[in-house]
Structure formats: C-alpha cells, structure tokens
Amino acid sequence: MRIRPRGDTKIVEGDLTPMIDMTFQLIAFFMLVINFSEVEQDQRVQLPASELAQPPRAPYEHPFTIHLTRTDRYIFGGRELSELSQLKSALLKETQIIKRYTAKKLADVTIIIRADKNAKTGQVQEVIQTCQELQFEKFALRGKQSDVPTLGGP
Amino acid sequence: MKFRNTERRETIVLQMTPMIDIVFQLLVFFVFTFKIVLPEGDFNIRMPSATASESSQPSETPLLKVRLQANDEGDLVRVQLGDLVLDGDAPFHQLQSQIREMISDDAGPGSTDQEVEIEADYKLKYRYAMNAITAITGYVDSNGDQHKLVERVRFAPLAEK
C-alpha cells in the first residue's frame, strides 16, 4: 500500500477579488443611474432657479407635464402646440381617459408646469386656469435647484 | 574577468490590477457627482377652481396680496405687499423679511394658515414670479436649513391682457 505524500495536495482557490470588484462597480453604477422620479426634461425650457425648489419626496401618482417655452409655445405629451385651445383639447382627451379607465379622481392628478424662466407669467396662469376648468387641482411649479440665494439682498 | 550572473536578477512585476480598479472607481465616482445641470424641484400648490374653494374653505385670516408690476419687456418694475411698496435693490428679499415678520415663524412650520395671492402682470417674466413664490414660501438660514413660511400660495384670477 502506498501512502500519498501529504504535502502534494494543492488547494485550488479561485481568486474572487476581481469578481467582487466588478460586482461593486456594477452595484454602484446601477445605484447612481436608477432614477425614481422619471424627470421629463426638455432643452427648449430653461427653468427659473430657486433655492427652495425641492425634488418630490415620492413620485407623483399620475403626473402630467406641461412645458412652456420662451417662444410662448406649449409642449404636452411630446407635441409642440402653439395655441391654448390645442392644449385644452389635448388635456380634455387625457381627462376622458382617466375618467373612463381609471378609478382616480382628477383632483389627485398633479400637473407639473415646467415654464421657461423668460416665459410670461400670465401664460402660466392661463395654463393653470385651463386646468382648473377641467377640474384639476394639484399643481407643481417646477424650478431648478440653486445653491446660492436667488433673491438678492445681504 | 568576472561576468555577472544575469540569470539571477529578479524581475519586479508591478501589480497593476488593483490600481486600475481603484482608478476606475474614482473615475466613476467623479463622473456621477459632477453636476452639469442642477436637479429640479417643485413648488406644490393646490389651486382648486374659484367656486369650489370658496364653498369648502372659508378663510379666517385675511388674504395677503402681492402685486408684481412689469414693463412692456416683462421686467420687474415694482413689488407691492398689500399697500406697502417694496423698492430697493432686492425687493424680493424685503418681501421675505416682511412676511417673516408678519408670520413670526417661531412657532414652527405649518403654524399659519395665512394665504397669499400673487397678482402679476401678464407679461412679467416667469422667473420673477418664481422669486416671489420663493420669498413667500420660505427661506434658507445661514446653516443651510430650509424653513417654511406660507404654504398656501395662489395666483390671482387672470385679468384681461
């Protein structure tokens, strides 16, 4: 009977370090890339800055985003509209969809208004008024966060 | 003459992998923390149509009115809080101080049910309206903490153009 020498057995050990490294890389990547709020951004709109603008804590349940450009045009649902009446009819379609197919109330729908900093305030009011006529109640005026005070003063 | 034994010289191998790993980590970190555009935030306002709001919530405190006047180009000309005209270099900062005095926010957030109505000219650039909303709704103190002032802000019904 032959006895195998003990020192001959080798422990096969896979090097786990690079795999763990890559896994952490991937975790870090996806953590940073994931975006809960699905911000709708548009290059045609430059938002006004405010130090108090806070990102929403929880995503809105049923948001509609209306953009208002500096050239007095509305962007809704990816379409650029020039007249308020067009915006109204587009919104009306959406309200009918909500009423018919969901149990939500129109008062719970949030209208996000992304107006350009040089857009006319009156036009923003018109948009709000139009939405009010369609029974929407919740509005979110969107601004760009600012690290510096925007009001001036000492 | 003696020859050096060249075979005995040891080659030094640098372990590059961990260094590259760390460099990539740092790169990814800085790429993501570099803010090209600042994040966006919202001012939430609840504005039911006029008829509904009057019936549901009779307000006890008198309504504060902020009037923003603009010239034809849409630039700000005058800010008015009630009857008080705020002129100076930083009218919105004054507006904020006035409202802080009125509300006296020592009692903590949400201690007031004061409502403010913004009446702005049609042509006024929206950024001034945003400034006014900022001044009315809160302030940031020297520590960088946010404090709330008035939460109920609404726009006045639109006059003719």
Side-chain angles (χ1 to χ4, degrees):
Chain A
M1 195 179 153
R2 248 175 116 178
I3 300 167
R4 276 191 197 161
R6 272 199 179 173
D8 221 35
T9 46
K10 273 185 188 169
I11 303 163
V12 182
E13 208 176 79
D15 191 3
L16 287 175
T17 322
M19 204 186 76
I20 296 168
D21 278 356
M22 283 315 293
T23 312
F24 277 129
Q25 291 264 17
L26 286 174
I27 291 172
F29 176 77
F30 284 111
M31 265 174 68
L32 291 169
V33 160
I34 201 161
N35 193 352
F36 294 107
S37 55
E38 286 179 29
V39 274
E40 269 196 73
Q41 294 182 340
D42 200 291
Q43 292 296 315
R44 287 165 283 190
V45 177
Q46 279 195 327
L47 295 176
S50 167
E51 64 264 42
L52 292 176
Q54 278 184 325
R57 294 223 177 100
Y60 298 118
E61 267 186 30
H62 201 128
F64 284 140
T65 309
I66 301 171
H67 306 257
L68 226 124
T69 67
R70 84 188 68 177
T71 49
D72 301 347
R73 284 166 161 269
Y74 312 91
I75 304 168
F76 179 67
R79 284 193 305 147
E80 196 168 323
L81 311 163
S82 55
E83 297 291 327
L84 192 65
S85 56
Q86 290 175 306
L87 179 71
K88 191 168 182 176
S89 58
L91 276 167
L92 192 65
K93 268 184 212 159
E94 296 289 341
T95 57
Q96 280 162 355
I97 292 169
I98 291 171
K99 275 181 192 162
R100 197 163 297 171
Y101 298 110
T102 67
K104 290 193 181 84
K105 276 188 253 170
L106 287 181
D108 297 328
V109 176
T110 309
I111 306 277
I112 301 170
I113 297 176
R114 292 184 85 247
D116 191 273
K117 61 182 178 187
N118 290 329
K120 295 186 181 80
T121 306
Q123 227 171 352
V124 178
Q125 284 175 267
E126 278 177 352
V127 170
I128 292 176
Q129 222 165 44
T130 308
C131 294
Q132 283 175 335
E133 284 164 20
L134 296 168
Q135 310 297 316
F136 291 110
E137 285 186 13
K138 274 160 97 176
F139 299 92
L141 303 178
R142 190 149 280 186
K144 192 169 58 179
Q145 278 187 349
S146 167
D147 297 333
V148 289
T150 50
L151 303 182
Chain B
M1 197 174 151
K2 228 180 166 181
F3 286 100
R4 274 194 195 154
N5 192 355
T6 48
E7 278 174 27
R8 276 187 64 188
R9 191 190 275 173
E10 278 181 25
T11 48
I12 300 165
V13 182
L14 261 177
Q15 276 284 337
M16 294 292 280
T17 322
M19 203 184 76
I20 295 170
D21 279 355
I22 292 298
V23 170
F24 276 128
Q25 292 267 16
L26 285 174
L27 190 74
V28 168
F29 176 78
F30 284 111
V31 163
F32 279 109
T33 47
F34 179 68
K35 278 190 267 179
I36 307 167
V37 270
L38 284 159
E40 298 180 358
D42 289 338
F43 286 98
N44 289 301
I45 47 175
R46 201 178 179 91
M47 271 176 54
S49 55
T51 46
S53 70
E54 274 168 25
S55 58
S56 61
Q57 273 186 328
S59 81
E60 290 156 15
T61 42
L63 185 70
L64 266 177
K65 280 193 180 183
V66 173
R67 172 104 182 82
L68 306 173
Q69 273 182 356
N71 61 14
D72 277 348
E73 276 82 50
D75 288 314
L76 188 76
V77 180
R78 200 161 72 146
V79 180
Q80 213 174 320
L81 173 65
D83 295 327
L84 184 72
V85 178
L86 305 165
D87 43 7
D89 294 335
F92 289 113
H93 192 262
Q94 281 183 39
L95 175 67
Q96 196 171 44
S97 334
Q98 287 287 339
I99 287 177
R100 270 180 78 173
E101 270 174 39
M102 266 183 210
I103 304 294
S104 61
D105 58 310
D106 304 326
S111 55
T112 175
D113 61 341
Q114 178 72 54
E115 191 169 7
V116 178
E117 187 178 81
I118 298 175
E119 194 186 344
D121 281 352
Y122 187 87
K123 279 188 175 170
L124 184 81
K125 284 178 182 163
Y126 182 56
R127 64 165 183 262
Y128 297 114
M130 188 57 92
N131 280 345
I133 296 172
T134 307
I136 294 161
T137 48
Y139 65 95
V140 178
D141 66 11
S142 51
N143 295 328
D145 296 328
Q146 288 193 4
H147 298 268
K148 281 190 172 148
L149 291 171
V150 177
E151 289 187 53
R152 294 170 65 191
V153 181
R154 64 168 195 213
F155 283 110
L158 207 59
E160 76 285 346
K161 286 184 195 179

